[in-house]
Amino acid sequence: YIDKGFRADREIMLAAVRHDYEHLRSAAPELCDDREFMLEVVRLRGEALRFASPALRGDKALVTAAVAQYGHALEHASEELRADRDVVLAAVQQDKRALVYAAKALRADPDMVAACRQRRAG
């Protein structure tokens, strides 16, 4: 539990998130829309992307950082980024199973399938 008085405090929320990223549920909305804060958070726990604002879910650098840490964070990326070859490649390099969250065209892309096969071998 995070006291209401601390939900907008970057340092307190970051410390809480280091313990359990689910504390973002109670974060002030402005923190979930703060690019620098969320970038730091997703570098620690990529799955925290699901708490980012819709605008940040469309931020390529932030989403790439999230999926590089946790490939399945691709599920929470914007539709546009789920169709972005670089973002999807970063996700499947972390976990080949993240391909299921990619746009349909990339799920069928021979190069992407090959990247998943290489990941299996590695």
Side-chain angles (χ1 to χ4, degrees):
Y1 172 78
I2 306 293
D3 186 87
K4 287 182 182 182
F6 297 116
R7 292 178 184 181
D9 185 296
R10 290 174 56 99
E11 295 306 314
I12 289 175
M13 287 306 299
L14 192 55
V17 167
R18 282 188 178 113
H19 176 71
D20 183 353
Y21 83 97
E22 291 281 341
H23 285 301
L24 283 173
R25 282 185 195 282
S26 60
E30 59 268 21
L31 277 183
C32 294
D33 195 38
D34 180 315
R35 186 180 188 280
E36 295 309 312
F37 175 79
M38 287 305 298
L39 187 57
E40 192 167 350
V41 167
V42 299
R43 285 180 175 152
L44 294 170
R45 298 293 301 262
E47 56 265 64
L49 181 63
R50 71 186 175 116
F51 295 109
S53 69
L56 292 181
R57 291 180 191 201
D59 180 302
K60 186 172 180 175
L62 189 133
V63 170
T64 300
V67 300
Q69 200 283 324
Y70 180 69
H72 289 265
L74 185 61
E75 176 182 10
H76 303 291
S78 68
E79 188 174 327
E80 177 183 338
L81 291 181
R82 285 185 275 126
D84 184 287
R85 181 176 297 280
D86 297 331
V87 172
V88 173
L89 185 58
V92 299
Q93 286 175 335
Q94 197 284 320
D95 186 333
K96 67 182 182 285
R97 297 171 297 175
L99 188 61
V100 301
Y101 302 113
K104 187 175 182 177
L106 286 179
R107 289 194 310 259
D109 181 273
D111 292 334
M112 204 57 66
V113 173
C116 289
R117 286 190 181 127
Q118 287 176 346
R119 177 69 180 132
R120 184 181 311 143

